Amino acid sequence: MKQNTKETMTKLSVNINKIATLRNARGGNFPNIVEFAEDIQSYGSQGITIHPRPDERHIRYQDARDLKPIITTEFNIEGNPIHKFIDLVLFVKPHQVTLVPDSVDAITSNSGWDTIKNQDFLKEVISEFKRNKIRTSIFIDTDAKLIEAAAKAGADRVELYTEEFATQYSLGNRKAVKPYTDSAKLAHELGLGVNAGHDLSLDNILFFSQKVPFLDEVSIGHALITESLYFGLENVINQYLYKLSLK
Ligand code: PXP
């Protein structure tokens, strides 16, 4: 199979929110977020993504501060730009901030920005991040008018919201990638970089990345951590059985 060169390859940024969910379930510091991020980078991931939410139910604001010194790849912080979030991002100064219009009670991000309605707000927030040399990306649906308005607001990139693609792909509908192909082309014409994320997985990532041009980066969390559990399970069970056999 033909492989991409380093220059044309889409970067993988691993979203580590699920690791924090696991840690928080027991109240201690195991698994350790910082060590996990270090290992993920050592395994070749080109970025670490976190999505702190106001209720800090998985990644906490302190995690963002703790992670900053150990990031050797690209640090991407996503979230709704409320005051507390903006202050955090300006303090941590990650390489990229991804603006997501998620409501406080949303289980996960469930829509892209209306960049027309929120044009003035986004312009203001983006210019503040730009002054601080932080790249900005806007989480967005595959709508040409919204992508044009993202460019107008001064964003550096858009992150295409891929849930609909992933759902349709799992149902066998390969044509569902077309709006993403078109959106990526338009974004590129407008001078925007192209990221993508939500429900991307080992099942759909090859097809998606082959069909969507100019794809700079994908951020993947839920499926990647689930797949890691699955592919690691046999090995870990065998290690337990081995240790128990030694007594
Ligand atoms: N991009 C954004 C804006 C998100 O909110 C999320 C989920 O936190 C992702 C990407 C990653 O989605 P998933 O966990 O389904 O890979």
Side-chain angles (χ1 to χ4, degrees):
M1 191 183 300
K2 180 172 92 50
Q3 289 206 317
N4 275 299
T5 61
K6 232 175 172 181
E7 287 70 38
T8 57
M9 201 172 133
T10 299
K11 286 189 173 154
L12 171 67
S13 186
V14 175
N15 179 318
I16 58 170
N17 271 32
K18 281 276 152 13
I19 309 297
T21 306
L22 208 55
R23 175 199 60 192
N24 297 353
R26 280 288 175 98
N29 195 24
F30 178 68
N32 181 303
I33 292 289
V34 168
E35 282 172 16
F36 243 93
E38 284 173 327
D39 288 339
I40 287 169
Q41 293 179 113
S42 78
Y43 302 148
S45 174
Q46 294 113 336
I48 298 289
T49 291
I50 58 170
H51 191 143
R53 289 197 160 81
D55 60 7
E56 302 191 82
R57 65 180 185 266
H58 25 58
I59 282 287
R60 301 182 184 130
Y61 279 45
Q62 187 57 40
D63 291 325
R65 294 187 277 267
D66 293 344
L67 284 163
K68 165 76 178 181
I70 63 93
I71 301 289
T72 54
T73 56
E74 184 197 277
F75 198 14
N76 175 43
I77 304 186
E78 325 173 321
N80 195 332
I82 56 172
H83 284 303
K84 206 173 143 192
F85 177 86
I86 293 175
D87 289 346
L88 176 76
V89 174
L90 293 178
F91 178 81
V92 173
K93 290 203 171 38
H95 302 92
Q96 175 174 271
V97 59
T98 301
L99 308 178
V100 186
D102 53 352
S103 57
V104 177
D105 54 351
I107 294 174
T108 180
S109 313
N110 50 17
S111 75
W113 281 97
D114 184 335
T115 48
I116 297 170
K117 233 186 189 162
N118 296 286
Q119 178 73 200
D120 291 344
F121 172 68
L122 288 170
K123 253 188 190 152
E124 198 183 312
V125 172
I126 286 168
S127 69
E128 178 69 10
F129 287 133
K130 275 195 160 169
R131 262 199 300 281
N132 285 274
K133 306 201 173 2
I134 301 167
R135 189 170 73 222
T136 53
S137 178
I138 294 189
F139 192 54
I140 204 160
D141 293 303
T142 54
D143 177 311
K145 290 217 160 23
L146 297 181
I147 292 170
E148 281 162 9
K152 227 172 112 201
D156 299 300
R157 292 190 182 183
V158 284
E159 179 181 326
L160 302 175
Y161 174 29
T162 46
E163 183 186 356
E164 182 61 19
F165 157 74
T167 305
Q168 292 302 322
Y169 184 87
S170 69
L171 298 171
N173 178 8
R174 302 294 182 260
K175 289 201 178 104
V177 80
K178 172 111 181 13
Y180 296 85
T181 307
D182 294 346
S183 294
K185 284 182 189 159
L186 172 64
H188 183 72
E189 273 167 32
L190 294 167
L192 293 164
V194 181
N195 296 345
H198 225 289
D199 296 300
L200 294 175
S201 70
L202 281 177
D203 282 339
N204 59 35
I205 192 67
L206 176 61
F207 180 81
F208 186 80
S209 61
Q210 282 177 334
K211 295 291 177 194
V212 178
F214 313 115
L215 192 57
D216 291 304
E217 179 181 305
V218 288
S219 78
I220 308 185
H222 185 78
L224 188 146
I225 301 300
T226 307
E227 289 152 354
S228 304
L229 283 177
Y230 203 78
F231 288 118
L233 201 53
E234 187 176 359
N235 179 18
V236 172
I237 287 175
N238 279 315
Q239 288 192 45
Y240 274 99
L241 293 174
Y242 174 67
K243 299 219 177 207
L244 290 169
S245 77
L246 293 180
K247 79 170 163 74

